[in-house]
Amino acid sequence: MSSEIVIAAFTNKAINLALRLAKFLNARVFVPKRLARDDVDVIDEALSEWTGKYFHEAKALIFISACGIAVRAIASHVESKLSDPAVIVIDEAGKFVIPILSGHVGGANELARKISGFLHSQPVITTATDVNNLVAVDEWAVNHDCAIENPELIKHVSGKILEGHEVGVAVTEQMQATPFPVTLILRPRNLILGTGCNKNTDPEEFEHAAKSFLDGAGVSVLSLKALASIDLKAQEKALVLFARNHNIPFLTFSASELQSLPGNFTSSQKVLSITGTDNVCERSCMLAAGKKAVLLRSKCIVSGITFALARETHSS
């Protein structure tokens, strides 16, 4: 899913509002063919078909219309609160901004508040935790860049919060026994996996080796923030697919960037003669993790593939 926001408008008055909003949000505006003009895109297919395309590609869909139009358009595409985009409805007068899907994980509630501030309109937030001014654990997870390991517990935990009970939430990258009888597990995305491999490494072998390495380090794959390597491996299929399958960026660095990184790293003259740097996996993960990075696990070879692991740290 991209970071794109798309806006659908169905009357001339709605188009004018959509164009104002598009400048604010850096969004694209779509209209029916009958309202086509030079400064907007055209919906060439049935609305449900158009919605299906952007439902899976965009970060947010905004309908400047009646709620019923939006509900019918998205009805057949709704799948999961963890993957559905934010969907918002705004009346053509711009008086009300109504998030109708993915209020927390998809960010619809937050986006609605942002839009309302711009339009000086009323956000209509209906999620129970927001109405009662309580913390929504799934929204907290998104705002703190955490993956939710057991999302089936979100409803249980939110329900307990609404009832005034204490709840169990663990925020850790470490694989360990859950500390509470019922524990919602949030995995902070703060780990960088550095790697080096032979040309044409089998993607399945790489996936298995990477998970074995992470298991050995005692951390969750959900806490990976990025995969890192040397730029010679930028098109290596196994690495590209691993990053894509785990929805993380694949960062690469030149040999000179890696070699100039200060620090004590496991050195290999063979690697130096081939790549121009004496170490790829440790140097790449540390460089990707930033100035305050901590090397959690140094160079390790699993099935002929080298791995290292670094953690981002932020000063308080």
Side-chain angles (χ1 to χ4, degrees):
M1 186 178 294
S2 73
S3 60
E4 184 178 27
I5 296 174
V6 295
I7 305 173
F10 305 96
T11 67
N12 285 314
K13 186 174 182 179
I15 292 173
N16 292 333
L17 176 59
L19 290 172
R20 282 180 57 207
L21 195 55
K23 290 181 180 180
F24 175 63
L25 297 174
N26 191 27
R28 294 173 65 190
V29 176
F30 289 82
V31 304
K33 283 184 179 180
R34 61 183 172 80
L35 297 174
R37 44 195 269 188
D38 293 339
D39 52 356
V40 297
D41 292 300
V42 172
I43 300 174
D44 286 318
E45 58 273 87
L47 181 59
S48 178
E49 186 178 344
W50 174 87
T51 302
K53 175 183 178 181
Y54 288 99
F55 198 89
H56 296 96
E57 293 182 3
K59 173 184 178 181
L61 284 76
I62 300 173
F63 292 83
I64 302 183
S65 67
C67 283
I69 291 175
V71 170
R72 284 190 290 271
I74 69 172
S76 62
H77 308 295
V78 176
E79 295 178 355
S80 165
K81 68 186 301 176
L82 296 182
S83 60
D84 293 341
V87 179
I88 291 173
V89 176
I90 306 173
D91 65 286
E92 67 173 33
K95 293 182 179 180
F96 301 102
V97 183
I98 312 165
I100 63 172
L101 190 69
S102 289
H104 291 153
V105 176
N109 289 359
E110 184 176 352
L111 181 58
R113 295 187 186 100
K114 179 179 179 180
I115 293 171
S116 296
F118 173 71
L119 296 178
H120 303 291
S121 57
Q122 176 64 51
V124 183
I125 311 295
T126 59
T127 43
T129 47
D130 294 84
V131 170
N132 290 280
N133 295 315
L134 297 172
V135 174
V137 289
D138 44 356
E139 187 173 41
W140 188 95
V142 171
N143 290 338
H144 290 80
D145 198 20
C146 293
I148 304 172
E149 182 168 291
N150 46 353
E152 67 278 3
L153 291 185
I154 293 174
K155 182 181 292 187
H156 170 84
V157 170
S158 295
K160 291 297 183 182
I161 291 174
L162 287 167
E163 293 170 1
H165 299 302
E166 294 184 349
V167 296
V169 179
V171 184
T172 178
E173 70 270 16
Q174 298 295 321
M175 300 295 290
Q176 57 190 28
T178 54
F180 313 107
V182 178
T183 306
L184 183 70
I185 302 173
L186 306 183
R187 300 297 187 188
R189 296 186 181 93
N190 59 357
L191 302 180
I192 311 295
L193 180 63
T195 188
C197 65
N198 294 325
K199 187 176 181 180
N200 296 324
T201 293
D202 181 77
E204 290 189 7
E205 289 183 7
F206 183 87
E207 178 81 23
H208 179 74
K211 289 186 175 178
S212 295
F213 171 79
L214 293 172
D215 286 344
V219 299
S220 170
V221 68
L222 292 177
S223 281
L224 289 184
K225 184 169 186 175
L227 178 69
S229 191
I230 191 169
D231 57 7
L232 296 173
K233 294 297 178 181
Q235 303 302 320
E236 188 68 43
K237 184 178 179 181
L239 278 59
V240 172
L241 287 178
F242 180 86
R244 183 184 304 164
N245 291 339
H246 293 280
N247 196 29
I248 56 175
F250 176 30
L251 308 176
T252 60
F253 305 94
S254 67
S256 59
E257 287 177 306
L258 294 174
Q259 192 62 24
S260 63
L261 182 69
N264 296 317
F265 302 102
T266 306
S267 180
S268 167
Q269 288 301 310
K270 180 179 179 180
V271 173
L272 178 63
S273 65
I274 295 173
T275 67
T277 180
D278 63 357
N279 182 290
V280 171
C281 59
E282 293 177 0
R283 288 182 178 274
S284 64
C285 69
M286 288 292 285
L287 191 57
K291 292 182 179 180
K292 296 183 179 295
V294 174
L295 187 63
L296 292 184
R297 199 174 190 199
S298 56
K299 180 179 177 180
C300 181
I301 301 175
V302 182
S303 301
I305 304 168
T306 62
F307 295 102
L309 190 68
R311 181 202 287 132
E312 288 183 335
T313 61
H314 303 284
S315 56
S316 57

